Amino acid sequence: MTGIPLLITFFLAIVVMIVAISKLKIHPFLSLMGTSLLLAIAVGLPLAKIPGIVGAGFSGIFSSIGLVIILGALIGLVLERTGGAIRLADVVIRCVGEKHPQLAIMLMGWIVSIPVFCDSGFVILNPIRKALCKKLRNASPVGMAVALSGGLYVSHVFIPPTPGPIAAAGFLGLADDLAAVILVGIAASIPALIAAYLFSRHIANQDIQIQDPEGASDTVEKDYDALVAEYGKLPSAGASFAPIIVPILLMALGSVVAMAGMEGAVATGLKFLGTPIIALIIGLLFTVYLLFATSKMGMFYQVTEETLKTVGPILFITAAGAVLGKVISAAGFVEFMKTNAAFLASVGIFFPFVISAILKTAQGSSTVAITTTAGIMGMFSDSASMMTALGLTTPMAALLTVMAIGAGAMTVSHANDSYFWVVTNFTGMDPQDGYRTQTMMTLVVGMVSMISIFVASLILL
């Protein structure tokens, strides 16, 4: 199959996948795998080759970024359980000061969500938000909630080691350049955080009523110090930052050594330490110290078990997205796109954003949107990939594409997104106000992020 029929078949396959996930409530893993098989058959791929294509796409994820995703999630959960995340938040409050509560809570969320999932991050930090609102009478509870949600979401879609950005980096051929992905993610966060902060200030001036979440009226509100005391002995600030900062520094150092072309035993050792898997293993060793320092070594097995249960579905969904990407490549869809290169060049970096935003809005999960879109795009160095068809064939183009996919994956959060309900329920908003706050915030931040990424592409590409 070639030409327009191939294009129509591809878009019908995407529609089938979205309907299967959002309407029929079929698990994303089965939806992606089923869509991949149906697409392979519909476009006329040789039946004898389809199992090999499926196997190659599925296994490739586990050999490239599977361990990185597991290690990153494990570091995040240990930080959560030991109170390290609370210590990170405490540092932010002390640095920013109590005169700017929305800025403090937003930066707090942004830092915590680098290793911790955004929905877990909101649950962890929401008591701090409420305690600050009680302590600072001028702080708007809704404005604070929007600021916290925005800070958490920005790092969730832009900065490894959260699974989405890691998976996107692997799909696009940047698995060994996570330090660059992290740095570009931090840069992409700046306009996004500014937009989130300004929108939260706007929401703070609106008359939005909240009520205590179910069951909250039966509990005694705790002040901030009492909340911190619940964790017992908190780790030091240095020990809490080390599992995040040390791997980033090691990966950055390894990249610098590689780019400088350094040779010798020392350079080889630094490159080894700078590989993402080794760097994150070292970060994990720092979390083991956290467990020891807080007298919680006994929970290490339980935390590891819980991490594997949490990450398992993400890995399988990511692998299924890779299968779809392999099928698209083998079907000749990219060759058709290349024949329309003039049109595609005009779309450029907006193509992955639009696909990711459609998937996010349709089925709700940012991680599914990121992994599926990245699987469709393929590696920037692969001549048969969508990246090549779009003219995005350099490492910098791949970095900006990861960011564009992330921007799309937050556009927008609404009723089919579990994070939407976490934010609204824990804040005490009704769904209608959730659309005015959470949904509009993700729309504004997503669009501002994409515009800034587009401007960057005009300068850097």
Side-chain angles (χ1 to χ4, degrees), residues 176-364:
D176 294 328
D177 294 315
L178 284 185
V181 179
I182 291 170
L183 292 175
V184 174
I186 292 172
S189 296
I190 295 173
L193 290 173
I194 292 173
Y197 177 66
L198 293 177
F199 185 80
S200 72
R201 293 286 300 269
H202 165 72
I203 288 297
N205 295 323
Q206 304 302 304
D207 183 21
I208 298 177
Q209 301 297 317
I210 62 171
Q211 55 187 357
D212 287 333
E214 186 176 351
S217 58
D218 299 327
T219 62
V220 178
E221 290 288 341
K222 303 177 181 65
D223 63 23
Y224 180 74
D225 293 333
L227 179 67
V228 171
E230 282 188 350
Y231 283 85
K233 181 181 178 182
L234 286 181
S236 67
S240 300
F241 274 102
I244 304 173
I245 299 299
V246 171
I248 292 174
L249 292 177
L250 287 174
M251 287 186 282
L253 187 58
S255 297
V256 169
V257 170
M259 287 187 294
M262 296 172 61
E263 301 292 342
V266 174
T268 301
L270 291 174
K271 290 178 186 177
F272 170 75
L273 294 174
T275 56
I277 290 176
I278 302 302
L280 285 171
I281 287 175
I282 293 172
L284 181 61
L285 293 177
F286 279 98
T287 64
V288 173
Y289 171 76
L290 275 182
L291 289 167
F292 175 78
T294 55
S295 303
K296 295 177 180 177
M297 279 297 296
M299 67 167 55
F300 193 26
Y301 181 92
Q302 177 187 349
V303 169
T304 304
E305 184 80 6
E306 188 173 337
T307 298
L308 294 176
K309 289 180 180 179
T310 301
V311 171
I314 295 172
L315 284 174
F316 291 134
I317 291 170
T318 302
V323 171
L324 179 60
K326 282 286 186 182
V327 169
I328 290 171
S329 178
F333 180 76
V334 174
E335 292 301 319
F336 169 77
M337 301 294 278
K338 286 179 181 178
T339 63
N340 296 274
F343 168 73
L344 288 174
S346 65
V347 178
I349 201 74
F350 281 99
F351 181 84
F353 170 80
V354 171
I355 296 297
S356 183
I358 291 173
L359 289 170
K360 166 62 180 177
T361 304
Q363 52 78 41

Side-chain angles (χ1 to χ4, degrees), residues 13-32 35 357-365 368 412 414-417:
I14 298 299
V15 171
V16 168
M17 179 186 66
I18 291 172
V19 171
I21 296 173
S22 60
K23 298 297 182 182
L24 303 181
K25 305 302 180 184
I26 299 174
H27 194 278
F29 171 74
L30 294 177
S31 299
L32 282 163
T35 300
I358 291 173
L359 289 170
K360 166 62 180 177
T361 304
Q363 52 78 41
S365 168
V368 171
V412 294
H414 63 101
N416 63 358
D417 180 10

